[in-house]
Structures are given as structure tokens and as C-alpha cells.
Amino acid sequence: MSDETPYKHRPFLHWVVLLSFIFGGFAFAGWQLLVHPQTPVPDAWNPTKPLVVTDPVTALTDWKLARAVASPETCLAALSTGATAQPVADLVADNPRCGISPNVALRGVDGVDVAPLNTRCQTALRLAMWSRHGIAPAARDLLGSDIARIHHFSSYSCREIRTTSGSGGRMSTHATADAIDISGVTLSDGRRIDLRADWNDPARGAFLRAIRDTACTWFGTVLGPDYNRLHADHFHLQNRGWGRCS
């Protein structure tokens, strides 16, 4: 019987086993580094850490947001890091195509006031991300001020889609509070920026277009004055959608 190891006759298998041990060891060490209580990896870059609204945006943020909105539990946990919101009982409507689940009573996002409303957690979380990482930076850069309040036309409405020719026949995403209509903002210095009044103003219009573009990062669908006349006075922002931005 030969004393030679079988790997000598099968060099490919030898290298597969060796590389598996090497990469497996690196993967295990990397995982231990990520989950260690004193890991040097910042939370925003750590895939084992959940979404925190106030964390800086990284290449992992979109992935973390997708995980956060995937369930009521993860959504509510993420929302608590950047909003003034209270979980409340789900809204069950007479129409089975309407209702809010998970339902939150929202009063503010990232230190910015929002007129109290009930909405779906996922919509509130996306609004918080947009306020923190879209509206606030644009207001400072383009208008030289922080924002104090976000104005809206509500979120929940048990109704069909509205089109320029009448009812669309399908239920609106407002029917499940998967959308919110934003009409403008008030700045910390008291200036009110309004879509209907300011869309064509050189400075204020530039700000509104900038925050429309950033909304497309955080919401599934964004419709505004450039979409049709029904949206001349607000941004329609959907939790769900296929990336339409207009």
C-alpha cells in the first residue's frame, strides 16, 4: 500500500480544501470582528448593526433600510432612533382594502415638527431618513437655514387613485398609509417654503427640486409638480414603488 497522501494525486482537491480553510478562517475572524462588543467598525458600516436614522449614509444604508421596513418590529425599532412617534393600535377599516398596519402616531422626525398624523411605520421611517439626509442638508446649503417644520396634506385616505381624468379604479397607496403628501417646509428663521407658491422661484424652486431629487433616494415613488397638475401643490411620496421620480 502506498504511503502517499491522496491529495498528491488530486492537487485540485488539495487546493480547494486549503483555500476553504483559509477563506473560512478569514470569514470567521471577520465575523468575530463585526460582532465583538468593542469592534472598531463604525455602526453605519457594520452589517450586523440595525439602521439608525442619525447614522451617516454609507453604501450599506439602502440595504439596512430595506431590512428595517421588512417587518413591523424592525421598522418600529429603527423609527425610534429618529422620530417622535408612538406605536398605536392598527387601523382596521370597513373597506378591507384600507387600513394602517403597523400604525404610528407621528409628531416629528429628526427634531423637526410634523403636524400630528397617523401613518404606516414604513412611511414615517422613510420621511425621517429624507428629513435627516435630504431636506436638512439642502436647506443649509441652498437657503442657509435649518428646518423647523414639515407641512403635509395627510397620509391615510381610504380612496381610489385620482387621475387628471377622474378616478383611476385602483386603490391609492394612501388607502394603506403607504404614502404621504408634503406641501412644503418652514425654516428655523421663519421662512415658509411652499410648493404652489415657490416652485418657479429661482432660489426656493431650486431648493424644492433638490429635496424632490433626494426624496427619490428614500421613497419608492416620488411625484410632484413636474408629474401633473394634480401634484402642483405637493410631493406624493410612496413607501412602495418602482423608483419613479418626477
Side-chain angles (χ1 to χ4, degrees), residues 44 80 87 108 193 231:
S80 70
I193 313 297
H231 297 83

Side-chain angles (χ1 to χ4, degrees), residues 138-155:
R140 287 191 292 266
D141 292 346
L142 298 176
L143 300 175
S145 177
D146 290 323
I147 56 170
R149 190 175 184 85
I150 297 173
H151 300 279
H152 65 84
F153 288 155
S154 79
S155 174

